[in-house]
Each structure stands twice: as structure tokens, then as C-alpha cells.
Amino acid sequence: MLDNITVAQADPILSLSAACRADQRSQKIDLGIGVYRDHHGNTPVVQAIKIAEQCLLDKQTTKAYVGLSGNESFNESMINFLIADGNSKSRAVGVQTPGASGALRILADVINLSTPGATIWLSDLSYANHAPIMTAAGLKVRYFRYFDTDTKLVNSEGMIADLKQAGSKDVVLLHGCCHNPTGADLGFEDWKTITKLAQKQGFLPFIDMAYQGFGSSMQEDVQGFRYLAEQVESYVVTYSCSKNFGLYRERTGLAIVVGKTLEQSLAIKSRLLEIARGTYTMPPDHGAALVDIILRDDSLTDNWLSEVESMRQRVKGLRTQLVNVLREKSGNSVFDFIAQHQGMFSVLGISSEQVKALSEQHGIYIVGGGRVNMAGLQESQIDYFADSLLAVS
Ligand SMILES: Cc1ncc(COP(=O)(O)O)c(C=O)c1O
């Protein structure tokens, strides 16, 4: 029965960390997996989460099942936090999921239920797991031009030209902010143009929001999304609490659906719950319960917001320092784009041979395609990283 199973390919990002761990060189640097690290190279538990955990420990009286949609109080808090006072909130429903990964999958499943084999447009490049999740759900993937390999910024013209081909039965997936892997974000004008296209052509905007707070600020990072949300008939969102609440392993995410009417949103929600029931049944509660405690307490919310802001500042600072050192050492401004990128990642535009040389010759591990996790760098490593990068360039 199981004789036909062959070994699957290792996940390219997760296997990088293992390769780095096995490396005996003292100067090795792991810039692969998308995890924030502090000055000491640690990924600490967010302070507000620690406080919320104590509170949960004191007040929780049962570990009985929650429900298929997870923690409904969390769903409501997150919708309030993300959509704020936008009008589309009155049509929004939420389903808590095991990470945003779970949300990506159940939303893809429900789209495929509605329009089997529908096309979902992804940016070229996009998060490594987008295409596998979408195709596993039965959707067809097409790419729109996004990353300009010369400027290392968004190719707005190419993007808009390609999205003009997206029709009323298509879905267009947009990164809400802090684009993974490139670091090149849509500008507000891009959001406006895409909104117009969605209105005219009728495609469904699918927003993946995995890094709110890591770009320009908690509010500015959702400005483009909020503009679009107010103008279009329907949209869906996946939200990850992995990075901004530091809840990576607690698998805390949310799928939001905004249909044409609340009635339609509720019908879609009922199908999402059916899909959840047929797979994992319900998400883990712990992370969502903590986020809910934080978002329902003003002082804990402030505490959390200021910690995210300090993480954001740290990554921004690392970008500036790296650019300055690279400029000084190279005498040119080839890598200046790194300071224009947003969030945790940057695609450096180096070849796979150069990526290989970085790991083999210098013990620096970055994702194939040249994605660097800037949030994994420490100040003391900047010089070595810059020297190594220039040596392979
Ligand atoms: C763009 C994007 N979407 C979704 C996810 C999945 O996040 P989660 O850990 O919440 O499943 C990630 C994780 O890295 C991501 O970068």
C-alpha cells in the first residue's frame, strides 16, 4: 500500500537552518528562516505575551474544546484592530486558523469550491509557500511582474500591465506590507491603481498580512490595504501573528472574509468551518487567547505596540548600517536599495552561485534566490557580512 512513497524534497528554508547549525565555523550567520532576532541573536518572548500568559494561567478554568472557528473573541479583536473603523467591517467575518499558513489553505480551498481551478495571480517573486498551497488546493497559479531586478524595487508598470489580464473569476494575491521575499513594497499609488483594476475587472483581492508593524509603522503598513478595503465589493485576508506577536510556534493566524453582503460572508464562513472540520477541526487556542488578552487591554496593547516599534527600528537601523558599511567598503552605491526595502527581508539580486559561495566559503546562509533575513543579522556581524558579500559579488 505505501510502497510508492519516495522521499520528499526537504523544505529549502527550514533545511538552511539545519545546515547552519551543523557548520562548525564560529563566524557562521543564519540569515535564512524568517525569524526576528535581538542584539544577542535571540528571539525573545514578547513582554506583553509574557504578561498575558500569566493572566491566562490565572483565569483559565478549562481546556475543553473551543469551536471550529477557534477563539471568536480573538477573531473580533483582530478584525477591529485591522479594519478599525472601515465600513467593510460590517461585512467581515473571521476564522481563527493554525498560523496564516492555515488561513492561506482554507481560503484557497473555499475559492476552489466556488470556482474550481480558478486562477490566482502571485507576484513574481512571492512567499515560497504561496504557490505550493494554492496548487495543493486546486487553483492555477499565474505570476504578475513585480520585482524589478535592476532597481530592486517594484516594477509598477509591468505589474499593472499584467494585472489588466486578471478577470472576474481570478484572484490577485497582494502582500499587505513588508513583501516576502523581496522587501520591495507597493506604494500607496500602486494600491490605488490596483483598487481601480479590481473594481473595473472584478477580480478578488486576497491580502496576505504577515508583518504588520515591521515596515513603516503599525498604521502606515495597513494604509494601502485599508484604502482598497473601502472601495471593493469583496476581499479576503490572511493575517499572521507569528512575527508581530512573536508567536511563531503557537500557530496563530486568521482568515477574514468580506463578501458583498454579511449574509454572503457568513455563508462562506460556514464553508470554511466545514473545510476546517475535514482537516484539523479547530486551531490551537493558546496564541489566540494571548493576542485577545493584549488587544482588549489598553496598557498591554501599548506595551506590545512599543515592543514591535523597537523591533522595527532595530531592523531599519541594521539596514542603514549595512548600506553605509557596503558603501564605504565598495566605494559605490550598488546595495543602497537595501535601505529602501521594508520589513524583515531583502532580495539582494545575487546569483545562485553567489548564494552557494556565501555559505561554502563564508558560512553565511541565505535563501536561494538571494533572500536575506535582515532581522537575523547582529550589529557585530555587519562588517563580516559586508566583506563576504563583496567578496562573492
Ligand atoms: C507572506 C507570508 N504569508 C504567510 C506566512 C505564514 O505565516 P504563519 O507562520 O503564521 O503560518 C508567512 C511566513 O513566513 C509569510 O511570510
Side-chain angles (χ1 to χ4, degrees), residues 34 97-104 126-130 133 173 175 177-181 208-211 238-243 247-249 251-254 345 371:
T97 52
S101 307
L104 283 166
S126 200
Y127 169 47
N129 219 13
H130 276 153
I133 291 177
L173 192 149
H175 296 229
C177 61
C178 307
H179 188 271
N180 178 7
D208 186 3
M209 190 74 76
Y211 300 90
T238 50
Y239 195 97
S240 175
C241 299
S242 296
K243 312 294 180 339
L247 283 169
Y248 309 85
R249 67 174 64 170
R251 312 307 302 127
T252 310
L254 178 73
F345 308 115
R371 185 194 86 172

Side-chain angles (χ1 to χ4, degrees), residues 91-362:
R91 313 190 308 279
V93 296
V95 175
Q96 188 211 324
T97 52
S101 307
L104 283 166
R105 180 57 197 259
I106 63 168
L107 284 174
D109 281 333
V110 93
I111 289 165
N112 195 54
L113 185 69
S114 168
T115 309
T119 295
I120 183 157
W121 292 76
L122 302 181
S123 52
D124 181 21
L125 308 157
S126 200
Y127 169 47
N129 219 13
H130 276 153
I133 291 177
M134 298 305 154
T135 44
L139 301 180
K140 282 193 207 73
V141 169
R142 278 185 76 175
Y143 290 93
F144 59 89
R145 277 172 282 171
Y146 187 82
F147 188 59
D148 185 324
T149 47
D150 292 331
T151 61
K152 314 287 187 300
L153 302 174
V154 177
N155 170 4
S156 298
E157 258 180 44
M159 171 178 72
I160 299 306
D162 289 350
L163 288 182
K164 282 191 174 152
Q165 297 170 56
S168 63
K169 298 236 175 297
D170 293 358
V171 184
V172 173
L173 192 149
L174 304 164
H175 296 229
C177 61
C178 307
H179 188 271
N180 178 7
T182 67
D185 268 3
L186 295 173
F188 194 56
E189 286 308 312
D190 295 319
W191 281 98
K192 282 187 173 167
T193 314
I194 295 171
T195 300
K196 268 204 199 107
L197 288 183
Q199 287 171 317
K200 191 162 158 223
Q201 296 165 217
F203 59 73
L204 177 73
F206 186 136
I207 319 300
D208 186 3
M209 190 74 76
Y211 300 90
Q212 189 187 356
F214 278 89
S216 299
S217 72
M218 199 60 88
Q219 294 304 320
E220 283 167 271
D221 286 357
V222 291
Q223 209 190 11
F225 155 72
R226 284 184 180 161
Y227 176 85
L228 176 139
E230 286 309 285
Q231 318 281 329
V232 295
E233 273 191 326
S234 15
Y235 64 89
V236 297
V237 180
T238 50
Y239 195 97
S240 175
C241 299
S242 296
K243 312 294 180 339
N244 56 7
F245 285 91
L247 283 169
Y248 309 85
R249 67 174 64 170
E250 301 293 354
R251 312 307 302 127
T252 310
L254 178 73
I256 299 174
V257 174
V258 174
K260 289 185 187 132
T261 59
L262 178 61
E263 204 184 6
Q264 187 185 57
S265 307
L266 288 167
I268 297 167
K269 178 167 177 171
S270 74
R271 292 296 180 177
L272 289 171
L273 300 186
E274 186 180 59
I275 292 162
R277 185 61 169 149
T279 50
Y280 57 84
T281 293
M282 65 187 69
D285 179 61
H286 190 68
L290 302 176
V291 170
D292 191 43
I293 290 172
I294 292 172
L295 293 181
R296 287 181 188 275
D297 180 310
D298 289 346
S299 101
L300 269 184
T301 300
D302 287 348
N303 186 323
W304 167 63
L305 289 174
S306 68
E307 191 161 347
V308 179
E309 178 57 16
S310 69
M311 290 194 263
R312 187 187 77 81
Q313 295 278 7
R314 185 175 130 65
V315 183
K316 268 230 164 323
L318 285 166
R319 287 184 180 282
T320 316
Q321 286 175 57
L322 178 61
V323 163
N324 290 341
V325 171
L326 281 164
R327 260 195 193 186
E328 231 170 72
K329 288 183 188 284
S330 66
N332 64 47
S333 53
V334 167
F335 288 105
D336 276 16
F337 63 85
I338 293 174
Q340 283 174 270
H341 285 169
Q342 295 275 51
M344 288 170 58
F345 308 115
S346 271
V347 161
L348 298 180
I350 61 174
S351 68
S352 46
E353 287 76 30
Q354 289 167 315
V355 170
K356 199 161 162 236
L358 271 180
S359 65
E360 286 179 0
Q361 294 164 23
H362 304 275

